[in-house]
Amino acid sequence: MLFNPRPKTRREELYDRRDELERVEDGLRKGLGLVTILGIRRLGKSSLLNVALNELPYGSVKIDARKVYSEFGNVPREALAKLILEGFLKRSGKERARELARSIRGVRLLGFGVEVEVERGVNLYDLLERINSLGERFVIAIDEAQYLRFSNSRYPELIAWAIDELENVSFVLTGSEVGLLEDFLRLHDPGSALFGRPHLEIRLKRFERHQSVDFLERGFDELGLRVSREEIDEAVDELDGIVGWLTLYGYNRYLGLGHSRALQRLKEDARRLILAEFSRLRELSHRYELAMRAVANGKHRWKEIKETVEILEGKRIDDKNFSNVLSNLVRYGYLEKTVDGYVIPDPLVELAFR
Ligand SMILES: Nc1ncnc2c1ncn2[C@@H]1O[C@H](COP(=O)(O)OP(=O)(O)OP(=O)(O)O)[C@@H](O)[C@H]1O
Ligand SMILES: [Mg+2]
């Protein structure tokens, strides 16, 4: 159903995004070595990725770099190697996985071939080369790939090498902290490993108003729920075109909540979630939160945001330092810089900081 709150895996559950899906699938069919899917949180990056991987006939593995990071405090190559091999094992079976493992130093299959053990010194180049040599396309998808920056291994170099040398291996990277992922990959920086490499970039946008309305109408139709146009309009006014929020509103209605209660519950849950996600930045500096509060309360110009934060902090802030604060908030996707100054791209994030 359209209001299923989990990331979607099948096309029937995916509203629109036909064009983006076609582009991702076409890119991979044509053997592109790198596809990036970018967009702020809750726009459906993971869903798009899931559906594309399910529909294509290739072997693939999906790795959540944020999860690896939260487990290890960085993204070590042996963890990636293990996940890649486990994906391979699931797809191609024990026999082929054993064959593959045998040819790579530092890798073993244990427990009758169902468990993968990888030593610290494992060589990812070796692993990818062996997978490539099997002659079938294999897609390595890394969700929230900006977390790859937390590693001693230089992953952009690895990906650049794979693009050049391995015709059967493709990477798909998604990122919600778009600026961070861009700074990490540096695809357009002549001094970087990935510069000039062929790749496809998909940027997910918010739904247009008419799409959001249509999405809710179809979701309610599917459930046989009668919901008035006024309620749908109000939900879209409050949630904008962020499909993740629209889905949760619909899901709350599905659970039996009335319109106002469904919106209210969503806002409370969203606030908790958003502030928890933000805690990483808050731990770096209290100033990030103050700047967000200033913008949420109607300050949009650099100077007026700075003045507000100075009042809240009770002291003067160095210009350069403050510019860093704002540009980091942009890199993390909490702010967008527009002709009207700095704005918060998600209405519930704005509400959480008001
Ligand atoms: N095109 C779509 N049609 C219907 N539901 C969707 C669509 N895209 C996303 N959703 C729903 O929106 C929510 C967020 O989707 P998803 O997790 O794929 O987004 P995301 O961009 O990966 O988010 P995050 O940045 O938090 O990882 C989920 O509940 C998912 O089911
Ligand atoms: Mg996601």
Side-chain angles (χ1 to χ4, degrees):
M1 73 177 187
L2 283 174
F3 295 157
N4 171 2
R6 296 228 170 81
K8 306 297 196 283
T9 54
R10 287 177 302 123
R11 185 183 286 252
E12 306 85 80
E13 299 180 312
L14 205 61
Y15 177 81
D16 197 16
R17 303 294 193 213
R18 255 164 312 174
D19 182 42
E20 291 89 343
L21 198 55
E22 189 46 41
R23 288 174 61 210
V24 175
E25 294 188 0
D26 187 54
L28 292 173
R29 265 188 230 111
K30 288 182 174 149
L32 262 186
L34 175 62
V35 176
T36 58
I37 304 176
L38 309 174
I40 58 167
R41 301 210 63 168
R42 290 169 275 268
L43 287 188
K45 298 173 295 297
S46 301
S47 297
L48 185 70
L49 174 62
N50 291 343
V51 175
L53 293 182
N54 268 345
E55 290 192 341
L56 291 168
Y58 314 130
S60 64
V61 57
K62 201 179 110 183
I63 295 170
D64 183 344
R66 179 164 49 192
K67 195 158 150 244
V68 177
Y69 172 76
S70 56
E71 189 177 340
F72 296 95
N74 62 51
V75 182
R77 61 169 174 262
E78 58 275 15
L80 282 195
K82 187 167 174 353
L83 290 164
I84 293 171
L85 278 161
E86 284 169 352
F88 186 85
L89 175 69
K90 223 195 264 163
R91 162 80 188 193
S92 302
K94 274 191 255 180
E95 273 320 305
R96 299 205 74 189
R98 192 171 292 136
E99 207 182 300
L100 187 72
R102 214 177 284 135
S103 63
I104 306 162
R105 262 230 313 270
V107 171
R108 279 189 300 163
L109 287 198
L110 306 173
F112 303 106
V114 290
E115 201 185 314
V116 181
E117 190 185 70
V118 175
E119 283 173 15
R120 279 187 71 181
V122 67
N123 187 327
L124 274 178
Y125 287 78
D126 254 9
L127 171 63
L128 297 188
E129 196 154 40
R130 292 297 144 80
I131 290 179
N132 184 65
S133 70
L134 298 173
E136 284 172 24
R137 290 202 70 65
F138 192 74
V139 180
I140 299 173
I142 305 186
D143 220 356
E144 301 297 352
Q146 68 276 7
Y147 281 87
L148 293 179
R149 72 190 190 282
F150 296 111
S151 175
N152 297 328
S153 302
R154 289 199 288 227
Y155 293 126
E157 268 85 343
L158 176 77
I159 296 170
W161 169 81
I163 293 174
D164 289 349
E165 304 293 334
L166 308 180
E167 56 181 354
N168 296 318
V169 175
S170 297
F171 283 87
V172 182
L173 308 180
T174 84
S176 55
E177 293 161 337
V178 177
L180 286 181
L181 184 56
E182 286 174 334
D183 289 352
F184 172 64
L185 297 175
R186 291 162 60 217
L187 280 154
H188 306 287
D189 172 353
S192 83
L194 277 165
F195 179 70
R197 294 302 188 292
H199 71 283
L200 168 70
E201 180 184 294
I202 309 275
R203 275 180 192 261
L204 284 190
K205 293 208 213 50
R206 271 162 286 197
F207 286 166
E208 302 281 339
R209 188 177 176 93
H210 70 93
Q211 292 177 301
S212 302
V213 169
D214 189 45
F215 172 71
L216 289 179
E217 283 179 342
R218 280 183 199 219
F220 289 129
D221 265 359
E222 202 179 57
L223 298 172
L225 270 180
R226 295 255 304 264
V227 172
S228 74
R229 181 59 199 252
E230 288 78 58
E231 291 178 351
I232 288 181
D233 277 336
E234 193 180 293
V236 175
D237 285 342
E238 301 237 20
L239 308 176
D240 201 0
I242 313 252
V243 62
W245 298 142
L246 296 167
T247 301
L248 287 179
Y249 166 73
Y251 187 67
N252 282 345
R253 298 295 309 256
Y254 164 72
L255 293 179
L257 300 183
H259 169 67
S260 307
R261 204 51 210 107
L263 266 184
Q264 190 54 34
R265 169 81 63 83
L266 168 58
K267 285 182 199 167
E268 287 161 13
D269 292 347
R271 185 186 150 80
R272 243 175 281 126
L273 181 67
I274 288 160
L275 294 179
E277 285 166 1
F278 194 77
S279 64
R280 216 159 28 108
L281 272 184
R282 194 185 309 110
E283 279 161 22
L284 292 179
S285 161
H286 186 48
R287 210 162 269 168
Y288 288 117
E289 186 177 348
L290 298 182
M292 287 300 287
R293 268 164 49 189
V295 180
N297 286 299
K299 309 292 183 210
H300 299 289
R301 298 281 164 206
W302 189 94
K303 197 156 172 283
E304 55 182 16
I305 305 170
K306 179 167 183 270
E307 281 164 5
T308 308
V309 173
E310 284 177 335
I311 291 170
L312 291 169
E313 267 192 32
K315 64 170 185 254
R316 276 196 42 79
I317 303 168
D318 169 62
D319 278 0
K320 212 165 137 212
N321 182 306
F322 193 71
S323 287
N324 278 336
V325 168
L326 289 189
S327 66
N328 277 338
L329 286 168
V330 171
R331 275 157 28 102
Y332 278 87
Y334 284 104
L335 292 180
E336 260 172 33
K337 201 172 168 186
T338 70
V339 282
D340 301 318
Y342 292 91
V343 298
I344 298 174
D346 176 330
L348 295 195
V349 173
E350 183 168 298
L351 196 66
F353 284 97
R354 205 173 285 153

